[in-house]
Amino acid sequence: MFVYLNALFVGLLVLSNILGVKLFSIGDFVLPAAVIVYVITYLITDVIGEVYGKEAAKKTVRAGFFTQIIALLFLFIAIELPAAPLFGNQQEFETILGGSLRVILASTLSYLASQHFDVYFFHRLKRKHGMEKLWLRNNVSTISSQFIDTSLFITIAFWGTVPATALLSMMATQYIFKLIVALLDTPITYLFVKIARKEKESSDLPISA
């Protein structure tokens, strides 16, 4: 289960960088498509931390960062390769997969800050409550770290390019959406934790307290 959780975490991170260029709307909310997958990564690190321990969760975050850097490197190489004469979509290819340096920097910094805070805060609450109140540490750590992620990303990516009121509106819109998803994913967290613990017990490995 640990391997599958890590694979899912890394896969969703890479996918979120690709989906980020697509904007969708729900009523008056305009959001990047990346939010529908990126918010799930916090659920995964919470499950890993709950079952396999804090160090395992931190290693997952570091592995995700490393994988993102490698993926971006290969995307850059693919974009810079000379297009074949029969390939007529080079501009579209660059638009979808290129992104801007500023957005990439914003995404990387907000990822490092928010994911590490999520792991830290989750385990601070776990030391206090032990095996109880998983719903509390899952929601509180995710809600807090999502606020850090949203604030940093929007500020770094768009500061000076849009009015301050628009900046605040973008932050509020994204954060509200992430907040709703964080609250709704609690049953999934419990399900994943149950499956992971059962698998770990069958392997005769100690479950993290």
Side-chain angles (χ1 to χ4, degrees):
M1 184 67 175
F2 181 69
V3 173
Y4 293 107
L5 288 171
N6 275 274
L8 182 60
F9 179 86
V10 169
L12 291 178
L13 279 180
V14 174
L15 184 60
S16 68
N17 286 331
I18 299 172
L19 297 180
V21 298
K22 167 69 181 290
L23 298 177
F24 71 98
S25 61
I26 301 177
D28 294 331
F29 286 14
V30 177
L31 299 158
V35 299
I36 64 176
V37 295
Y38 184 67
V39 69
I40 304 302
T41 62
Y42 293 87
L43 178 158
I44 296 172
T45 51
D46 286 352
V47 173
I48 291 174
E50 179 70 16
V51 180
Y52 304 100
K54 182 178 180 180
E55 287 305 312
K58 289 169 67 175
K59 287 180 181 179
T60 297
V61 172
R62 290 195 292 267
F65 172 73
F66 176 75
T67 304
Q68 284 188 90
I69 297 300
I70 297 300
L72 290 172
L73 174 63
F74 279 105
L75 283 174
F76 175 78
I77 293 173
I79 289 170
E80 294 301 315
L81 288 173
L86 54 81
F87 182 68
N89 300 311
Q90 178 65 20
Q91 186 61 49
E92 292 82 355
F93 186 80
E94 291 181 17
T95 300
I96 296 299
L97 298 180
S100 70
L101 180 61
R102 184 170 177 176
V103 170
I104 292 172
L105 177 63
S107 176
T108 302
L109 293 178
S110 60
Y111 166 82
L112 287 174
S114 63
Q115 291 282 3
H116 279 97
F117 180 81
D118 180 64
V119 173
Y120 160 77
F121 200 27
F122 181 91
H123 285 276
R124 182 176 179 179
L125 293 172
K126 189 175 183 181
R127 284 196 302 270
K128 182 177 180 180
H129 299 119
M131 302 289 282
E132 299 179 350
K133 298 183 179 180
L134 171 59
W135 63 270
L136 179 64
R137 53 183 172 273
N138 166 239
N139 284 299
V140 173
S141 64
T142 299
I143 289 169
S144 303
S145 57
Q146 289 287 12
F147 179 78
I148 294 172
D149 178 75
T150 303
S151 300
L152 280 178
F153 177 78
I154 296 296
T155 301
I156 297 172
F158 301 107
W159 181 268
T161 64
V162 297
T165 53
L167 205 69
L168 292 173
S169 177
M170 292 169 66
M171 287 182 188
T173 298
Q174 287 202 31
Y175 183 65
I176 290 172
F177 180 84
K178 291 176 179 178
L179 177 63
I180 293 171
V181 174
L183 294 174
L184 292 176
D185 72 19
T186 302
I188 302 175
T189 303
Y190 271 88
L191 176 62
F192 278 19
V193 166
K194 181 178 180 180
I195 294 172
R197 280 181 173 156
K198 185 175 181 180
E199 184 269 342
K200 196 173 184 183
E201 287 172 352
S202 66
S203 301
D204 294 323
L205 295 174
I207 295 177
S208 173

